[in-house]
Amino acid sequence: MRFCRACFLLIPAFVALPLAAQNDTLREATPYSQPIEDLILNAELDGQVDYSFVTDFLEELIRHPLDINTITRDEFLQLPGMTDLLYNNLRAYVDTFGNLTSLYELQAVRGFREEHIRNILPYLTTDAARARDISPGKLHPAGPTPREVWENMIWEFTQRTVWEVENARGYTPADTSYRDIYDDQGNLIGTEPVLSTRYAGDKYRHYSRLRARMGQNISFAVTGEKDPGETFEWNPLLNRYGYDFLSGHVALQNYGSLKRLIVGDYNLQAGQGLVMSRGLGFGKGASTIAGTKMPNLGLLPYASVNENQFLRGAAATVALRNWYFTGFFSRTRQDASVSARDSLTADVLQASSLQISGLHRTATELANRRAVDEQMYGGRVEYKTATLTLGTTHYRQVFGAPVSPALNEYNQFDFRGDQNYVNGLDWDWIYRNLNIFGEVARSRSGGLGGVAGLMASLSPTVDASMVIRHFDKDFHSNKAYVFSERPLAPQNETGVYVGLRIAPSPKWELNSYFDQYYTPWLKFRTGYPAAGWEWMAQLDYKPRRGTLVYLRFRTDHREQNSDDYPEGQQLRFLVPTERHQFRLHFETKVDRDIIYRSRMEFSWYQEGAEDWQRGFLLYQDVAWRIGFKYRLTGRLAVFDAKDYNARIYAYENDILGFFSIPPYYGVGTRYYLIFDWKPVDGLEFWARVAQTRLHETRSFGSGLEETQGDLRTEVKLQLRWTFGGGS
């Protein structure tokens, strides 16, 4: 490995624990960072799922924390690492001993460990007077009055600009090349000029959002975004209104029997996500217990910028005692690869696939923009008590043009046509320290899907979980997000997952899981039925408050088509692949204002009998709060992963509202610096610079994203202004 000198300089950080007293006054990055990092590592979903709403929700709670004594189940489950079992234990404790007078009293509640309490402390309070909208003893409280809403409404305006300093090929002047012309007999008869493709707009990403909230009762937002390469123009005939993407909503929540009402953009998280879910959900990773269950949060207003992962229209949930009734309607224009248009009207007659990137930079991408109309309507009926939830979810989906992918071996059972419907039934039952949950569903094709799981607290120090899932090869649910190998596309998979968590003392904790799965039909790069398995173990050591050291080993075994054919071999065949990863992670609070973090990670990848590909990453992080107005955060990383299959993902701190988990590959160094400044109350400014230097290549990316040279530099600037009552 390269960078040996740097390694020897950085390694001592792992063995030298600071002697300074520990203090929790410096708020850490979101506790969701590790689950998201694990998700991208396992499912390779980078760019497909937008988690900025997680930051939005947690930042709102920091300003207006929830009362631990009156918190609802739905609110509790949105906090990092919380489960139904922990919520029931909390309610039982309050019912027995009365309201908590301090958050640290959570240590006396069964199941709450130090890391649970540390993760949720910033978002909770014991001030019962805060929660006007939640009345203890009332199933459906009346909610705040109009005057209270007006006096306590918090307004927030955010403006963000992001760009890469080096110009990618897509932003350079177009050049002309020539291609040969042949006659019908194949004879060369001349050449013709070909003008190269370039991006239509500049390299800047612009983002603006105006949002207003009153606790958990009122939400209003208008969001606009232009991606790099897109134009900023006003052309109503082309549905372009300045920003390439516009989103907005008005939402009410917890007004008596009206639990939620949303007009505009929204999402619906129902059951285990098999029928509908585009909200928060993770999967396999260090959270071996809580990560197996998808949160059933119902309707949620949408204010993020994933352009094809939301519903637009109107939706409402009404409660009658323990019964909850949800109805929704949505009409959106989806990006799609167009395969046939009407020669006179240019209307889309057929699409080969739906697109989810949300990028509209080139002539082809612009032609695919909002190409196919999608209408959806449906509903959900749910019965809820303190220990039991039963629900059924249904929707019908109609496209303005049939979707018909080009037929090949592995996609014969994929969705085709202009209509689909999915019907599902879900359950969630808690009995003492056992939680049983699951969902089954059927799509219009007749394909079935199902997921069933349990979480159990076997003793005060041992927790276990299990999830079984099966999805037919012709099961179609493109609004799903479920526990599986491909959370966004539950299809053609059968698997069993077992997770274990052992915490013999406050200082030691072991998390481990084993997952085995089978795909009975072909899939991309797998020309036969195939199987795979995965195992992970992570050992945490907390020698003192605010300090964590952990070791992790993960191995992943699966099958895929061989890239090479032996001499005389004509038929495609499968070869085994192995991926191993080892991580040593250390973090601590040096004093009340400094957080220090260091990580060393190795990866190995082998396909068939080929040589092992190896990767290495070592980084150092420091976050320093300077007084009450300034904060500096930085990282220095060295990496050596020549092959992309040996890449290593690592979470990076970022400006508020961004998640950055890039793959480290190639041979090089990377650093970033973040400056956070609060000049006055209600005003905050962020600046971030990140730069990667490669040592063995002289270009980044490919195609229109290619940049020449060994440097790539990204700059982010953001301003947030908060004003209004209570800010």
Side-chain angles (χ1 to χ4, degrees):
M1 294 290 180
R2 297 169 61 94
F3 313 117
C4 290
R5 294 180 181 177
C7 295
F8 281 114
L9 289 173
L10 298 174
I11 284 175
F14 287 103
V15 297
L17 298 180
L19 299 178
Q22 305 305 313
N23 191 292
D24 285 335
T25 57
L26 178 57
R27 178 166 53 85
E28 178 59 284
T30 169
Y32 282 129
S33 60
Q34 183 166 296
I36 296 175
E37 186 178 65
D38 293 335
L39 171 69
I40 291 179
L41 172 66
N42 287 312
E44 300 181 5
L45 293 175
D46 44 323
Q48 299 185 32
V49 179
D50 176 27
Y51 285 98
S52 60
F53 68 91
V54 178
T55 300
D56 294 341
F57 175 77
L58 296 181
E59 286 295 321
E60 170 67 15
L61 291 187
I62 288 172
R63 293 197 296 270
H64 302 282
L66 299 168
D67 178 21
I68 187 63
N69 294 304
T70 58
I71 189 171
T72 67
R73 184 182 298 271
D74 289 347
E75 293 170 336
F76 184 84
L77 294 178
Q78 294 181 71
L79 299 177
M82 297 299 99
T83 66
D84 286 282
L85 292 176
L86 290 175
Y87 181 77
N88 277 18
N89 292 343
L90 172 64
R91 299 314 322 155
Y93 182 90
V94 172
D95 292 342
T96 303
F97 300 104
N99 287 346
L100 280 69
T101 58
S102 167
L103 292 176
Y104 292 99
E105 194 177 342
L106 285 170
Q107 298 174 83
V109 180
R110 178 183 174 89
F112 279 84
R113 300 184 178 90
E114 180 186 351
E115 70 275 10
H116 291 141
I117 300 170
R118 184 178 65 248
N119 285 343
I120 64 178
L121 274 178
Y123 318 118
L124 296 173
T125 180
T126 55
D127 181 11
R130 186 209 71 86
R132 171 64 180 84
D133 54 322
I134 304 295
S135 302
K138 290 186 178 181
L139 186 60
H140 306 302
T145 65
R147 180 176 179 178
E148 288 174 318
V149 171
W150 177 255
E151 291 177 349
N152 294 282
M153 186 74 78
I154 304 298
W155 293 82
E156 177 185 289
F157 176 73
T158 303
Q159 182 65 48
R160 178 190 304 154
T161 300
V162 180
W163 73 95
E164 288 187 352
V165 175
E166 296 79 18
N167 281 333
R169 184 168 176 263
Y171 305 107
T172 60
D175 51 20
T176 302
S177 60
Y178 294 87
R179 64 183 176 192
D180 296 336
I181 303 174
Y182 298 88
D183 61 19
D184 294 338
Q185 288 72 41
N187 300 314
L188 179 64
I189 59 176
T191 60
E192 62 179 355
V194 178
L195 188 65
S196 60
T197 300
R198 291 295 186 268
Y199 292 147
D202 59 40
K203 64 182 180 181
Y204 296 93
R205 171 183 292 172
H206 296 296
Y207 168 96
S208 299
R209 187 178 73 179
L210 176 65
R211 185 161 194 173
R213 290 182 179 178
M214 190 277 174
Q216 300 297 306
N217 293 102
I218 307 290
S219 177
F220 163 81
V222 177
T223 305
E225 186 198 44
K226 181 196 85 72
D227 288 312
E230 295 177 341
T231 59
F232 190 96
E233 62 175 306
W234 185 273
N235 189 342
L237 294 177
L238 297 177
N239 295 311
R240 302 184 72 89
Y241 303 94
Y243 285 109
D244 179 80
F245 173 70
L246 290 172
S247 174
H249 73 258
V250 176
L252 304 179
Q253 180 175 322
N254 290 334
Y255 273 84
S257 294
L258 179 62
K259 308 311 294 179
R260 290 181 179 89
L261 172 64
I262 305 175
V263 177
D265 296 345
Y266 62 94
N267 271 324
L268 173 61
Q269 287 186 251
Q272 288 305 298
L274 188 55
V275 178
M276 292 199 71
S277 180
R278 275 297 188 262
L280 178 61
F282 296 113
K284 293 184 290 184
S287 183
T288 57
I289 309 300
T292 60
K293 184 180 179 182
M294 298 296 117
N296 175 30
L297 302 178
L299 293 171
L300 298 170
Y302 186 81
S304 297
V305 291
N306 192 314
E307 301 183 23
N308 294 284
Q309 302 294 326
F310 62 91
L311 303 177
R312 172 169 291 174
T317 297
V318 176
L320 297 176
R321 296 189 64 83
N322 295 100
W323 291 89
Y324 295 76
F325 302 89
T326 299
F328 64 90
F329 173 80
S330 169
R331 181 175 182 178
T332 59
R333 300 285 299 183
Q334 296 288 317
D335 293 352
S337 296
V338 178
S339 54
R341 290 184 183 269
D342 187 290
S343 59
L344 297 178
T345 65
D347 291 339
V348 177
L349 301 178
Q350 182 173 289
S352 60
S353 65
L354 300 177
Q355 302 293 311
I356 63 173
S357 71
L359 298 175
H360 312 117
R361 306 162 300 179
T362 65
T364 300
E365 291 175 348
L366 287 168
N368 295 339
R369 180 179 183 266
R370 306 183 65 184
V372 174
D373 182 75
E374 179 197 59
Q375 292 191 40
M376 291 184 60
Y377 55 90
R380 174 171 172 80
V381 179
E382 191 174 49
Y383 176 78
K384 296 202 308 186
T385 68
T387 59
L388 176 66
T389 298
L390 294 174
T392 177
T393 310
H394 313 267
Y395 74 77
R396 186 176 185 87
Q397 184 179 37
V398 180
F399 295 104
V403 178
S404 182
L407 191 65
N408 57 42
E409 295 174 326
Y410 64 85
N411 72 357
Q412 296 179 41
F413 296 95
D414 287 1
F415 172 76
R416 299 173 189 275
D418 60 359
Q419 294 188 43
N420 187 33
Y421 60 76
V422 186
N423 304 315
L425 175 67
D426 59 89
W427 61 92
D428 190 347
W429 178 54
I430 301 172
Y431 178 71
R432 295 184 179 178
N433 296 317
L434 176 66
N435 184 196
I436 299 175
F437 54 89
E439 185 171 13
V440 294
R442 181 182 184 273
S443 62
R444 183 173 183 266
S445 63
L448 299 175
V451 56
L454 63 85
M455 295 189 295
S457 182
L458 305 180
S459 75
T461 61
V462 179
D463 297 327
S465 64
M466 174 181 288
V467 177
I468 301 172
R469 75 253 188 202
H470 171 78
F471 316 114
D472 287 346
K473 59 181 179 295
D474 59 345
F475 177 67
H476 307 137
S477 181
N478 69 355
K479 299 298 181 182
Y481 188 102
V482 67
F483 187 93
S484 69
E485 279 296 292
R486 298 192 302 162
L488 292 171
Q491 183 182 4
N492 184 32
E493 182 182 335
T494 299
V496 178
Y497 168 99
V498 178
L500 185 66
R501 181 177 183 275
I502 304 174
S505 73
K507 291 186 176 183
W508 292 94
E509 180 178 318
L510 174 66
N511 283 275
S512 183
Y513 72 78
F514 180 82
D515 185 50
Q516 187 161 14
Y517 51 89
Y518 175 68
T519 53
W521 185 249
L522 321 182
K523 62 179 183 178
F524 179 65
R525 295 198 68 190
T526 307
Y528 298 94
W533 62 273
E534 182 180 331
W535 176 70
M536 189 279 296
Q538 178 170 314
L539 180 64
D540 294 2
Y541 173 56
K542 306 177 184 69
R544 63 192 70 190
R545 184 178 175 183
T547 298
L548 168 66
V549 182
Y550 74 78
L551 297 171
R552 176 193 289 192
F553 179 76
R554 174 181 176 269
T555 181
D556 187 4
H557 298 247
R558 59 185 67 197
E559 298 173 308
Q560 68 181 37
N561 293 336
S562 174
D563 294 330
D564 299 315
Y565 291 88
E567 185 176 354
Q569 177 79 45
Q570 298 298 321
L571 295 176
R572 180 185 293 116
F573 63 97
L574 301 181
V575 295
T577 67
E578 295 183 37
R579 187 191 306 272
H580 307 297
Q581 289 160 314
F582 174 78
R583 176 186 299 175
L584 172 59
H585 182 96
F586 168 79
E587 62 183 70
T588 191
K589 288 188 172 77
V590 178
D591 60 27
R592 61 179 299 172
D593 293 325
I594 298 177
I595 293 175
Y596 176 84
R597 185 186 302 110
S598 188
R599 177 182 295 182
M600 180 187 299
E601 186 160 350
F602 300 87
S603 68
W604 300 266
Y605 177 83
Q606 184 183 50
E607 180 178 330
E610 296 181 359
D611 293 337
W612 285 94
Q613 303 295 331
R614 294 174 172 82
F616 170 75
L617 169 67
L618 180 65
Y619 71 66
Q620 302 272 266
D621 284 356
V622 176
W624 180 22
R625 188 180 62 184
I626 310 171
F628 294 100
K629 292 186 177 182
Y630 307 100
R631 178 171 176 170
L632 286 174
T633 305
R635 168 176 297 179
L636 174 62
V638 295
F639 56 93
D640 185 342
K642 298 182 180 64
D643 189 89
Y644 186 70
N645 287 316
R647 65 194 181 278
I648 298 173
Y649 286 96
Y651 177 88
E652 294 185 349
N653 290 93
D654 214 317
I655 64 175
L656 182 67
F658 255 89
F659 280 105
S660 182
I661 310 181
Y664 286 76
Y665 70 96
V667 179
T669 58
R670 178 173 171 83
Y671 77 87
Y672 65 77
L673 291 172
I674 306 171
F675 176 64
D676 182 359
W677 176 38
K678 298 179 181 179
V680 295
D681 288 344
L683 191 65
E684 190 165 6
F685 173 79
W686 292 264
R688 184 183 194 265
V689 177
Q691 186 176 81
T692 302
R693 179 186 293 272
L694 295 180
H695 294 274
E696 295 187 355
T697 58
R698 291 295 176 264
S699 66
F700 287 82
S702 61
L704 296 181
E705 285 297 296
E706 182 180 9
T707 58
Q708 297 299 318
D710 60 356
L711 288 177
R712 174 168 280 186
T713 309
E714 182 186 58
V715 179
K716 296 178 180 177
L717 301 176
Q718 179 167 288
L719 178 70
R720 184 180 68 177
W721 177 33
T722 304
F723 57 97
S727 61

